[in-house]
Amino acid sequence: MTAAPRGPGAPARRSVLRAGSAAALAGALPVALSGCAGGASDGVGADGSVTIQLWHGQTDTALKVIKDLVAEFHRTHPRIHVDLGGGVLADAMLQKVTAALASGAYPDVAFIFGSDLASIARSPQVVDLTEHVRGGPTPWTSYWPSAREAVTINGRVRAVPAMVDCLAMVCNKKLFAEAGLDLPEPGWTWAEFTDLARRLTDADRGRFGTGWPGTGDEDTVWRLWPLIWGAGGEVIAEDGKHIGFAEEGVRALEVVRDLVRDKSVYVDPKPGSEQMYKVFLSGRMAMVPTGPWQLPDITQAKLDYHVVPLPTFDGTAVTISGPDTWTVFDNGEARAEAARTFVTWLTQPAQDSRWDVEAGSLPLSSGSEKSPAWRQHATGTPGMPVFTEALTSARVRPVHPAYPRISQALGEAIVSVLLGRATPAAAIRTCAEDANAALLIPR
């Protein structure tokens, strides 16, 4: 994705939780990632200095920040040079890295979406970082649980967290006031959400209570997982052979059905959610589930806004986080060690908090969250603490090679309900047939 629009300077990953590219390449990966040769150069100069390649995936403001951080790294680590050339934007990184692994000319570090890590980590060229992170300067347990889980596959750490976000609900205070309605508070329910959306909709004035992406991609899907988890479901059942939301998915889609029934939801027909956010920024949508990356655009639009945690079914807070990763590849021990040194430095609180503030993300760890730079930024940005606090209850999608197929099936189910073509129960039945078949494929 871009599953979420890129505002001015927003990092390329404003996809937050992208999986579409993984789905497109799933069939080709077993061949592309087998038998890969190592990189062509050991990167070690005559003076003992080491050069590593970083495929950063960023654009605009985020690119400027990463360039500044790399320049600072060079000043403090003169024997390691980070080459920023090569690579592509994060949206196309999976395909680029897959081709590079097949050719034997791959980078030392790449920015990989968390949802793509399971596919990439099937390559033997991906460095196992388990022991490295356990002895790193930033205690592994200080990273948010969602960030740790997103880079762990079968008990092994296959990357380090690069960025972390989560969802909360942003409300237009003016529209609530005009409707004479109180703003929602933490612990509100999905039933209250659909009721508010209905009461805040005004067809004559072109106003909607809320919005939902309608293309069936990961941007459509990841917004439903908090409802499924909140209802007690899981993405994959404990036996690993079935989806874990056959019943809970129906309950979650009933919320979507209620929005459709009340004509209170704007269904964005285009990828990226750009139209949905434009409707909100124009003052014609009362509530939008989004992440902290949207706050600069909301501020620029001069909207008076309120941020509240996502609704719940039973009062228990749950949201979704989509950590992205710095994945390290093996181009020989000298380059691998230099790459480990770089990503370790980059994710320490001093550097991470700078990246978070300037590039628009959330702190990776409790150490970053406590840093003066982040505290000042959070205090000066209305609603930002809500996103940070939500990380304590954030969950991630499983790092599983079948996830793209599950996402595709659920995306189709959501769209069928959004367009009034299927009931929640029928949509989940079809979803289960396709997703369960994917889970039975040996991997």
Side-chain angles (χ1 to χ4, degrees):
M1 170 191 4
T2 49
R6 295 181 197 158
R13 107 156 144 9
R14 291 297 171 240
S15 65
V16 184
L17 309 166
R18 187 176 172 84
S21 55
L25 294 173
L29 282 171
V31 175
L33 297 187
S34 62
C36 300
S41 170
D42 63 7
V44 181
D47 61 352
S49 63
V50 181
T51 297
I52 60 174
Q53 286 191 341
L54 170 66
W55 290 2
H56 53 77
Q58 307 303 313
T59 186
D60 301 327
T61 299
L63 176 56
K64 180 182 183 301
V65 178
I66 198 69
K67 285 181 175 179
D68 290 346
L69 286 167
V70 166
E72 182 178 338
F73 178 78
H74 287 161
R75 288 192 294 271
T76 57
H77 298 74
R79 299 184 68 81
I80 301 176
H81 177 74
V82 180
D83 181 358
L84 287 167
V88 290
L89 294 182
D91 290 350
M93 191 65 76
L94 176 64
Q95 184 173 3
K96 175 75 171 183
V97 169
T98 300
L101 286 167
S103 71
Y106 41 86
D108 299 281
V109 181
F111 182 89
I112 302 293
F113 287 130
S115 54
D116 291 342
L117 181 61
S119 297
I120 289 293
R122 293 160 68 188
S123 167
Q125 268 56 56
V126 173
V127 175
D128 189 319
L129 298 173
T130 307
E131 301 307 320
H132 180 74
V133 298
R134 288 175 179 170
T138 302
W140 186 236
T141 55
S142 73
Y143 288 92
W144 302 114
S146 58
R148 300 197 304 269
E149 184 178 346
V151 297
T152 303
I153 303 175
N154 297 326
R156 307 299 295 178
V157 178
R158 306 311 308 276
V160 296
M163 291 182 172
V164 64
D165 282 321
C166 66
L167 280 180
M169 194 72 68
V170 180
C171 306
N172 184 319
K173 293 171 72 172
K174 179 182 177 182
L175 297 187
F176 272 80
E178 288 180 356
L181 298 172
D182 293 332
L183 292 163
E185 297 180 355
W188 61 317
T189 66
W190 288 108
E192 290 171 332
F193 166 71
T194 56
D195 180 62
L196 284 171
R198 176 182 57 80
R199 298 170 69 183
L200 288 160
T201 296
D202 188 333
D204 293 337
R205 303 175 72 175
R207 289 182 179 176
F208 295 88
T210 191
W212 204 294
T215 59
D217 60 7
E218 184 64 13
D219 194 21
T220 304
V221 171
W222 70 289
R223 300 164 188 273
L224 195 73
W225 291 126
L227 285 83
I228 289 174
W229 290 327
E234 298 291 342
V235 179
I236 300 173
E238 189 173 350
D239 65 5
K241 299 178 181 180
H242 305 85
I243 60 171
F245 55 95
E247 296 181 5
E248 296 83 0
V250 174
R251 188 177 183 189
L253 282 180
E254 286 174 347
V255 173
V256 177
R257 177 207 60 195
D258 291 348
L259 296 172
V260 174
R261 178 199 62 201
D262 297 336
K263 299 180 180 180
S264 60
V265 60
Y266 173 82
V267 180
D268 192 337
K270 297 182 179 180
S273 302
E274 293 189 26
Q275 294 299 116
M276 181 181 75
Y277 286 119
K278 284 180 180 178
V279 173
F280 182 79
L281 293 174
S282 69
R284 295 187 296 113
M285 183 181 295
M287 301 177 289
V288 64
T290 188
W293 65 85
Q294 202 64 36
L295 295 186
D297 286 352
I298 294 172
T299 300
Q300 186 176 6
K302 298 182 179 180
L303 289 182
D304 190 10
Y305 67 93
H306 169 71
V307 181
V308 65
L310 292 180
T312 72
F313 282 117
D314 61 3
T316 302
V318 61
T319 187
I320 185 167
S321 178
D324 295 319
T325 79
W326 294 118
T327 302
V328 177
F329 300 89
D330 185 2
N331 279 299
E333 183 52 35
R335 286 172 64 174
E337 178 59 28
R340 287 191 292 262
T341 298
F342 173 68
V343 297
T344 298
W345 176 87
L346 192 61
T347 53
Q348 289 179 39
Q351 288 73 244
D352 177 50
S353 58
R354 179 178 174 185
W355 172 259
D356 301 331
V357 170
E358 297 181 27
S361 188
L362 294 176
L364 290 175
S365 65
S366 58
S368 298
E369 191 269 338
K370 294 174 183 176
S371 71
W374 175 260
R375 288 294 177 90
Q376 181 178 359
H377 173 67
T379 300
T381 306
M384 186 63 77
V386 177
F387 289 103
T388 307
E389 292 167 8
L391 286 173
T392 60
S393 65
R395 296 188 58 180
V396 297
R397 299 153 304 167
V399 187
H400 192 288
Y403 179 79
R405 290 279 300 276
I406 297 172
S407 173
Q408 182 179 6
L410 184 56
E412 293 171 356
I414 297 170
V415 171
S416 68
V417 174
L418 282 170
L419 299 182
R421 296 172 178 170
T423 64
I428 289 297
R429 280 197 301 271
T430 301
C431 169
E433 292 175 1
D434 295 341
N436 290 343
L439 285 166
L440 293 177
I441 298 175
R443 301 176 190 276

